[in-house]
Amino acid sequence: LPAGAVSLRLCSTRVTLEGINKPVIDRIIRVDHAGEYGANRIYAGQMAVLGRSSVGPIIQQMWNQEKDHLKKFNELMVAYRVRPTVLLPFWNVAGFVLGAGSALLGKKGAMACTVAVEESISDHYNSQIRTLMEEDPEKYKELLQIIKQFRDDEREHHDIGLEHDAEAAPAYSVLKTAIQLGCKAAIFLSERI
């Protein structure tokens, strides 16, 4: 390493903070951590209502993947020295309320929530992938691999929601639009605060 370079251990590779676009990486990791935290809280709310129903195992399976995502972003926050959003206490409550509230509409309501959230998150991940590719795909290779994998997982959750009658939820298009507007606001705020 050149004199003064900082290197941190991350998985099997080394992250050198020197030369990265710190504001861009901070924003990406902060918002993705917040998003995965919120997703965990949404699934916790859905499980609180529907955990013992026929759809409980499906929700649990998706939640387990979100737990893995959150764990990875917790590690990335340390490796890249990124502070979390100050809004985590709000996302804690809001995520759980959204999950439980949509689940109170029944299986279809919970799945409509899943479709709306996961579509928003996978689109957001695609935007981040484009940003990192424009920055330097080789420099951000590991981060790109992580985001691409998580995007694919979110797409899978979206498709699971559709397979389980999300579109048959009461006022599906209104519900989906409202949730996605909330997601856009959460993304905007979590990147910055």
Side-chain angles (χ1 to χ4, degrees):
L1 289 177
V6 177
S7 179
L8 298 171
R9 188 125 176 88
L10 178 68
C11 299
S12 61
T13 63
R14 298 175 69 78
V15 172
T16 303
L17 297 180
E18 185 177 295
I20 68 166
N21 187 336
K22 186 83 167 111
V24 168
I25 297 306
D26 284 3
R27 190 177 73 236
I28 286 173
I29 293 174
R30 179 177 302 111
V31 73
D32 290 355
H33 174 264
E36 296 299 347
Y37 181 82
N40 269 272
R41 298 306 297 148
I42 290 168
Y43 284 118
Q46 289 182 349
M47 284 299 289
V49 175
L50 295 173
R52 294 181 184 268
S53 73
S54 63
V55 78
I58 295 158
I59 294 170
Q60 185 66 57
Q61 174 192 350
M62 293 186 289
W63 189 14
N64 289 343
Q65 281 187 308
E66 299 297 350
K67 288 176 184 178
D68 291 340
H69 295 180
L70 181 58
K71 181 179 181 215
K72 175 50 80 178
F73 275 108
N74 282 330
E75 293 169 5
L76 291 172
M77 290 186 77
V78 171
Y80 284 94
R81 299 181 180 174
V82 177
R83 68 159 179 82
T85 178
V86 299
L87 297 171
L88 283 183
F90 181 75
W91 301 146
N92 178 29
V93 174
F96 190 88
V97 168
L98 176 58
S102 65
L104 287 171
L105 297 173
K107 170 189 138 181
K108 295 171 187 172
M111 291 298 145
C113 176
T114 296
V115 167
V117 170
E118 302 295 22
E119 184 176 295
S120 295
I121 299 307
S122 61
D123 289 349
H124 180 67
Y125 278 154
N126 280 333
S127 174
Q128 290 179 340
I129 290 165
R130 283 189 294 276
T131 297
L132 292 173
M133 292 297 288
E134 289 168 6
E135 282 281 328
D136 186 340
E138 194 54 39
K139 187 185 298 179
Y140 302 114
K141 184 178 179 178
E142 184 174 13
L143 189 55
L144 277 163
Q145 288 174 338
I146 292 165
I147 293 172
K148 286 177 182 178
Q149 177 60 54
F150 290 1
R151 184 239 5 236
D152 293 348
D153 292 345
E154 309 303 0
R155 256 345 257 186
E156 181 184 341
H157 298 172
H158 168 273
D159 294 347
I160 288 169
L162 289 176
E163 290 165 11
H164 288 88
D165 302 321
E167 294 170 307
Y172 171 75
S173 62
V174 173
L175 183 62
K176 181 180 176 191
T177 300
I179 292 170
Q180 289 185 326
L181 286 172
C183 287
K184 286 181 182 178
I187 288 167
F188 179 85
L189 293 170
S190 293
E191 282 180 331
R192 290 159 177 81
I193 301 174

